[in-house]
Amino acid sequence: SGSTGTPKGVEISHLSVVNLLSSMAKEPGFDDKGVLLAVTTTMFDISVLEMFLPLIQGGRTVIAAHEDVLDGFKLVKRLNKGDVTHMQATPTLWRMVLEAGFAPAPGFTMLAGGEPLPADLAEKLTAGGATLWNVYGPTETTIWSAISRIAPGDAVTIGHPIDNTVLHVLSPQ
């Protein structure tokens, strides 16, 4: 667990995983021409999307070398090869690659999840015309429950529920 450091397991049905993957294929979108750069260790739930979304859509997963993910400059060099169309990462990792000189361009799709997305970071990520999606959800809901496209100048929200999901707002807080 990222919050406690103690390993945990969550029992999830195959149908829940299929629902997440089919929803992500539609929004933000991924097809047989997509290439997703996997930067997450298989110990984290988000790796399920990195491995299986391209598989079910006929696209490709490129697995980033562990040392590249730890070094922003190496990761930028990998991204700058120009073959990657999608990447999901935490806002912390997105900030690291920006600070190492990455300039997301039109045609590149970014997913930010796992921690709150700061508005200043969202502005920097979308400045060059790339597409940014904020994704939210605890592991217990099969990785993500909500998604929001963030355009330049937009407020950062968790957005709307993914397919076959309902969000309940209990109070203004």
Side-chain angles (χ1 to χ4, degrees):
S1 169
S3 58
T4 67
T6 303
K8 67 178 178 181
V10 176
E11 189 174 318
I12 302 293
S13 73
H14 289 130
L15 184 59
S16 297
V17 174
V18 170
N19 183 68
L20 171 79
L21 295 173
S22 64
S23 183
M24 292 290 120
K26 287 192 291 187
E27 187 181 46
F30 195 92
D31 61 24
D32 61 344
K33 301 200 182 14
V35 179
L36 192 147
L37 182 63
V39 297
T40 308
T41 174
T42 57
M43 297 299 170
F44 288 98
D45 60 352
I46 297 168
S47 69
V48 170
L49 177 102
E50 293 176 332
M51 295 297 129
F52 295 112
L53 179 60
L55 182 65
I56 69 164
Q57 292 301 107
R60 287 190 308 132
T61 296
V62 173
I63 301 172
H66 181 69
E67 56 273 9
D68 290 355
V69 177
L70 298 176
D71 182 324
F73 295 99
K74 288 182 178 179
L75 191 53
V76 169
K77 184 177 179 181
R78 177 62 194 90
L79 285 164
N80 285 342
K81 287 185 178 182
D83 61 332
V84 173
T85 61
H86 293 69
M87 187 174 116
Q88 74 74 37
T90 62
T92 299
L93 186 58
W94 284 121
R95 192 171 301 276
M96 184 175 84
V97 296
L98 286 178
E99 290 172 356
F102 183 59
F108 187 66
T109 300
M110 299 170 287
L111 285 79
E115 56 192 52
L117 175 62
D120 71 309
L121 178 58
E123 284 298 315
K124 291 173 185 172
L125 289 169
T126 58
T131 304
L132 175 64
W133 295 83
N134 190 36
V135 288
Y136 168 79
T139 300
E140 292 79 3
T141 63
T142 314
I143 309 169
W144 296 316
S145 308
I147 187 166
S148 176
R149 182 171 180 179
I150 309 294
D154 283 355
V156 176
T157 71
I158 65 168
H160 61 274
I162 66 167
D163 288 349
N164 303 307
T165 303
V166 177
L167 301 178
H168 296 276
V169 178
L170 302 179
S171 73
Q173 291 77 32

